[in-house]
Every structure is written in C-alpha cells, then in structure tokens.
Amino acid sequence: MPPASLVSPASPAPSVPTAGPAPSGIGTSAFPQRPGAAGVAGIILAAGTASRFGSDKRRALLPDGTPMLAAVAGVFARVFARTAVVVPPGDAFGLELCTRLGLEAVPNERCREGQGTSLAAAMQWSIAQPGLQAVAVGLGDMPWVREDTLAALRDALVRFPGEPAMPLWQGRPGNPRGIPRRCFASLAQASGAQAAAHRIDWDAARTVAVDDPGIVRDVDTPADLAGDAKDATARR
C-alpha cells in the first residue's frame, strides 16, 4: 500500500537536479551543510496509533535489528542541523530516543484525532523557532528514505526559498515534503488525516528527482518490514 502521505499526489512540476547514488560510508560529512542550511530543520511525525500493525511499530526491528523509528531519526539527524520528532504524550520510548540522538521531542496531546494534528503540532513548533525558514517533514514509518534524498530536499529548500518541495521517484511523488515558513501558520491549524492536501499547491511545488524507492514505501504491517525497498515497491 502506498504510504499515508502528508499530501495528495501531485503531478510533476519544475525540478531541481537529481539526487545521485548514495556514497559509501554515508555520514554527516557526506552531505556538508550548504550556506543557509541551518535555516532548514527536519521533522518526523511519529505519534500515530499504528492500528493496522497491531503494536507500537516504531519499536519494530528492521532486518538489521534497528528499531524503525531509531533508523528514521538517525538518518534525519545526520542530514539536518536540527530535527524534531512529534510523539504521543507520555512517550518514554520517543523521549529516550530524542535525548540519545540530540533531537527535540514535540508531544501531540491530540494524536488520536489523526495525522493532521501531528502536522499542526510540528508547525506550531516550527513557528516558535527563530531563524527557521523551512522544514522537511517525514513519517516515522518510512525507514528506507535515503540520506542523499533528504540532503537534496534540504538543499532545494535553501536554493528556492519560499517554495514547497517534494521528491519524485520514477515520476511518483513521495515523502518527506519540504514546507516553507510562509505555510507554517496555515498548517498549524490542520486536523484530520490529509491535512496538507488542500493547504499547499503541490502541483506548483519544486520537485527533486531521486533514485530512491524509499520515498513511496511505508510500513503498515509486520510483513512490510522484510525485503528490499525497490523489490517491495515493485510488488505493490
């Protein structure tokens, strides 16, 4: 099943250069902070109920033994100077993870009302950060998004200030999504499951072509955790 996107699918729009193959030994040094990159933060929405999974899927182990949310958070932490994670209230697992990785936890007291409330909590946090010009918002159940994809999205937000940005894999839009500061206030009032669909014109967004099937693959059930991202996506 396609990931529960932050937004409705969009048609291709003006693009920026593709993100190339991920270099070996990927780490912070592989993606140096461009001028202005400090004004772009990462945000992970990780306060969902995971009803289809049957348990807290954020703790589910990937084939390499890493808890899923830890894998997602680690990728964001290596690309962005700052990353926030939206978590349920009283979430000891999420709070410990944020403390260990140096991330900021953003509790969402209304998380059971739908993903839109987590996006609203993320935007309220974003508004309160001085100097923050844009955010890249990802989902806690998409652990196969690559670091070079996040770096390309970050750099697009720096190069084209004020423009939303989204990744494309083989012409298919996916997540994470880049949101400029001018959209924060509107999204801070979001609610429901597809909160950003009608608040941002994604048809006019800057697109970033990437060689990364992870942008269209999420985890709904335990079976989704197995296998290669490209192969699993092709079977859907």
Side-chain angles (χ1 to χ4, degrees), residues 8 64-65 92 98 121 130-131 161 201 208 233 235:
S8 297
D64 68 356
C98 288
D201 182 6
V208 182
T233 302
R235 292 195 297 268

Short mmCIF file of all heavy atoms in Angstrom, two decimals, residues 8 64-65 92 98 121 130-131 161 201 208 233 235:
data_model
loop_
_atom_site.label_atom_id
_atom_site.label_comp_id
_atom_site.label_asym_id
_atom_site.label_seq_id
_atom_site.Cartn_x
_atom_site.Cartn_y
_atom_site.Cartn_z
N SER A 8 -1.94 15.02 -0.92
CA SER A 8 -2.46 14.31 -2.07
C SER A 8 -1.38 14.19 -3.13
O SER A 8 -0.48 15.02 -3.21
CB SER A 8 -3.66 15.06 -2.67
OG SER A 8 -4.71 15.12 -1.75
N ASP A 64 18.15 -5.38 10.07
CA ASP A 64 19.47 -5.24 10.70
C ASP A 64 19.39 -5.11 12.21
O ASP A 64 20.42 -4.91 12.88
CB ASP A 64 20.23 -4.05 10.11
CG ASP A 64 19.60 -2.70 10.46
OD1 ASP A 64 18.52 -2.68 11.11
OD2 ASP A 64 20.18 -1.66 10.08
N GLY A 65 18.16 -5.21 12.78
CA GLY A 65 17.99 -5.16 14.23
C GLY A 65 17.77 -3.78 14.81
O GLY A 65 17.63 -3.63 16.03
N ALA A 92 7.69 7.41 26.69
CA ALA A 92 9.04 7.20 27.22
C ALA A 92 10.01 6.75 26.12
O ALA A 92 11.17 7.18 26.09
CB ALA A 92 9.01 6.16 28.34
N CYS A 98 14.96 10.63 21.51
CA CYS A 98 15.32 12.02 21.22
C CYS A 98 16.49 12.48 22.07
O CYS A 98 17.41 13.14 21.57
CB CYS A 98 14.11 12.93 21.43
SG CYS A 98 12.82 12.76 20.15
N ALA A 121 1.02 20.23 15.28
CA ALA A 121 1.98 20.36 16.38
C ALA A 121 3.38 20.66 15.84
O ALA A 121 4.12 21.46 16.41
CB ALA A 121 2.00 19.07 17.20
N PRO A 130 13.23 30.74 16.08
CA PRO A 130 13.78 31.90 15.38
C PRO A 130 14.72 31.48 14.26
O PRO A 130 15.53 30.58 14.42
CB PRO A 130 14.54 32.65 16.49
CG PRO A 130 13.98 32.13 17.78
CD PRO A 130 13.58 30.72 17.51
N GLY A 131 14.60 32.14 13.13
CA GLY A 131 15.51 31.88 12.02
C GLY A 131 15.18 30.66 11.18
O GLY A 131 15.87 30.41 10.18
N PRO A 161 13.98 29.56 -1.78
CA PRO A 161 13.28 29.95 -0.55
C PRO A 161 11.83 30.31 -0.82
O PRO A 161 11.50 30.93 -1.82
CB PRO A 161 14.08 31.16 -0.05
CG PRO A 161 14.82 31.66 -1.25
CD PRO A 161 15.10 30.45 -2.10
N ASP A 201 -0.28 24.06 -2.62
CA ASP A 201 -0.45 23.71 -4.02
C ASP A 201 0.74 22.86 -4.46
O ASP A 201 1.73 23.37 -4.98
CB ASP A 201 -0.57 24.97 -4.87
CG ASP A 201 -0.79 24.66 -6.35
OD1 ASP A 201 -0.97 23.47 -6.68
OD2 ASP A 201 -0.77 25.60 -7.16
N VAL A 208 12.14 17.28 -6.73
CA VAL A 208 13.52 16.80 -6.64
C VAL A 208 13.50 15.34 -7.08
O VAL A 208 12.98 14.47 -6.38
CB VAL A 208 14.05 16.91 -5.19
CG1 VAL A 208 15.50 16.46 -5.12
CG2 VAL A 208 13.89 18.34 -4.67
N THR A 233 8.47 -2.34 -3.38
CA THR A 233 7.66 -1.31 -4.02
C THR A 233 7.13 -1.81 -5.36
O THR A 233 5.99 -1.54 -5.73
CB THR A 233 8.50 -0.04 -4.23
OG1 THR A 233 8.98 0.40 -2.96
CG2 THR A 233 7.67 1.06 -4.85
N ARG A 235 6.26 -4.73 -6.13
CA ARG A 235 5.19 -5.70 -5.96
C ARG A 235 3.86 -5.07 -5.60
O ARG A 235 2.83 -5.72 -5.60
CB ARG A 235 5.58 -6.72 -4.87
CG ARG A 235 6.74 -7.62 -5.25
CD ARG A 235 6.83 -8.79 -4.31
NE ARG A 235 7.11 -8.37 -2.92
CZ ARG A 235 8.33 -8.28 -2.43
NH1 ARG A 235 9.37 -8.51 -3.19
NH2 ARG A 235 8.50 -7.91 -1.16
#
